[in-house]
Amino acid sequence: MSTSPTTGTILDKIVAHKRREVAERQSLVPATLLERSLYFHNQPLSLRKYLLRDDLSGIIAEFKRKSPSKGWINQHAPVERTTLGYMQAGASALSVLTDGEFFGGKNEDLTIARRFNYCPILRKDFVVDEYQILEAKSIGADAILLIAAVLTAEEVLRFGQLARSLGLEVLLEVHNAEELTRTLHPDAVNLVGVNNRNLHDFSLSLDTSKELAEQIPQEFVKVTESGLTSAADILMLREAGYRGFLIGEAFMRNSRPEKACYSFVQELHATEPITLI
């Protein structure tokens, strides 16, 4: 039995549901079938490398229909148009929610995004079992998310090593210094994401990313998540060492998320300091 930490929040409810859901999917689609997928033997793209490119924005644009705290954000946005638009607008990578119960996503959303985009795609879900990592590879993901708040250090290591053996990169999400110290394994993690949302009251503060920046070793690409609403936020956190900026709700609450992304990237370019040669 897992000894994963508990948070006393909606996260516990999500994880309990996810364990039941994964057990059901495993009984219907065994791992041997996942390994026959069109995408399973493809070479994934490197999220890390794309975020480190100086010619790109560093924005990971997220496709997210709803959230537990906000309900439906954008129920009808088409995956193909939105994700293509994100990349044409200047995003560096995509994040696709595949959780259905709490976020309105599905595996097919990521597969559609994969079919129409040549860029790294992060599968955003709540990984609690090795099966989900095989599943991520089979639906065309390039990277997975591991959430320190719901995993033990041993689970992060085991899941991360499996993912990397399949060529997938691993974004470890943390909310505080304790989670970072407890779960950061160089052999299992490529990128560290700091979530600015407080799990207990859903409040947001970019100070979380600023405070943790210096505690993340230089070998890991730093990603900041949640609460990013302006180009000024990006510039401030770049100064703190962040190279990845995951933005979902700020785009998705617009009827045309890809247009919101375009406006954001244009604002970012307009405010970036000019480098004299």
Side-chain angles (χ1 to χ4, degrees):
M1 181 178 291
S2 169
T3 56
S4 303
T6 57
T7 61
T9 67
I10 184 64
L11 211 49
D12 295 331
K13 184 178 179 181
I14 292 172
V15 168
H17 182 275
K18 187 61 62 176
R19 292 190 189 282
R20 295 191 297 270
E21 178 186 291
V22 171
E24 181 180 349
R25 286 214 302 269
Q26 246 178 315
S27 68
L28 296 172
V29 184
T32 51
L33 283 182
L34 296 179
E35 293 171 2
R36 297 178 192 173
S37 157
L38 172 69
Y39 300 109
F40 199 85
H41 299 288
N42 284 3
Q43 179 62 40
L45 297 170
S46 172
L47 176 60
R48 176 187 173 90
K49 288 181 180 177
Y50 270 64
L51 294 182
L52 290 175
R53 282 176 53 174
D54 290 329
D55 61 324
L56 296 176
S57 66
I59 292 171
I60 305 170
E62 185 162 89
F63 186 87
K64 176 170 71 172
R65 291 190 176 91
K66 71 174 183 177
S67 76
S69 59
K70 300 289 179 64
W72 288 105
I73 299 168
N74 191 331
Q75 190 171 356
H76 303 294
V79 179
E80 177 185 347
R81 187 186 73 194
T82 303
T83 58
L84 265 172
Y86 276 162
M87 297 314 298
Q88 291 169 351
S92 295
L94 297 170
S95 170
V96 179
L97 263 297
T98 56
D99 174 80
E101 181 72 12
F102 298 93
F103 289 86
K106 50 191 175 181
N107 288 348
E108 290 78 9
D109 291 341
L110 195 147
T111 301
I112 291 171
R114 171 79 294 150
R115 190 180 308 142
F116 290 100
N117 294 278
Y118 186 81
C119 67
I121 302 179
L122 170 70
R123 186 202 190 182
K124 193 89 171 288
D125 212 313
F126 300 84
V127 174
V128 295
D129 190 279
E130 288 94 336
Y131 179 84
Q132 294 166 278
I133 300 169
L134 301 175
E135 190 177 55
K137 185 72 185 290
S138 76
I139 62 176
D142 301 288
I144 63 164
L145 180 75
L146 296 181
I147 303 174
V150 298
L151 298 172
T152 65
E154 188 276 332
E155 285 171 329
V156 170
L157 180 60
R158 179 157 46 92
F159 295 165
Q161 288 181 330
L162 173 59
R164 291 180 65 167
S165 76
L166 296 172
L168 300 172
E169 291 187 343
V170 177
L171 173 63
L172 175 69
E173 178 179 294
V174 301
H175 299 81
N176 52 52
E178 183 277 327
E179 291 177 2
L180 178 66
T181 303
R182 176 173 58 81
T183 60
L184 188 58
H185 292 287
D187 294 336
V189 174
N190 306 90
L191 312 96
V192 176
V194 177
N195 194 323
N196 299 303
R197 188 181 299 280
N198 185 301
L199 290 177
H200 297 281
D201 60 13
F202 292 106
S203 62
L204 286 164
S205 175
L206 299 186
D207 288 340
T208 305
S209 283
K210 289 193 287 185
E211 290 165 3
L212 287 181
E214 291 186 2
Q215 299 182 50
I216 302 171
Q218 291 300 315
E219 64 197 274
F220 301 100
V221 172
K222 300 179 181 70
V223 178
T224 178
E225 310 170 25
S226 301
L228 304 168
T229 59
S230 70
D233 293 338
I234 304 296
L235 296 178
M236 175 188 68
L237 290 169
R238 274 185 185 166
E239 287 294 316
Y242 288 88
R243 298 299 297 270
F245 311 92
L246 196 148
I247 304 175
E249 186 179 327
F251 297 154
M252 290 298 297
R253 65 183 175 216
N254 190 292
S255 61
R256 293 291 296 267
E258 67 279 13
K259 290 189 174 181
C261 182
Y262 176 81
S263 297
F264 192 99
V265 173
Q266 292 305 303
E267 179 191 357
L268 180 60
H269 289 332
T271 55
E272 284 174 332
I274 298 173
T275 302
L276 299 177
I277 300 175

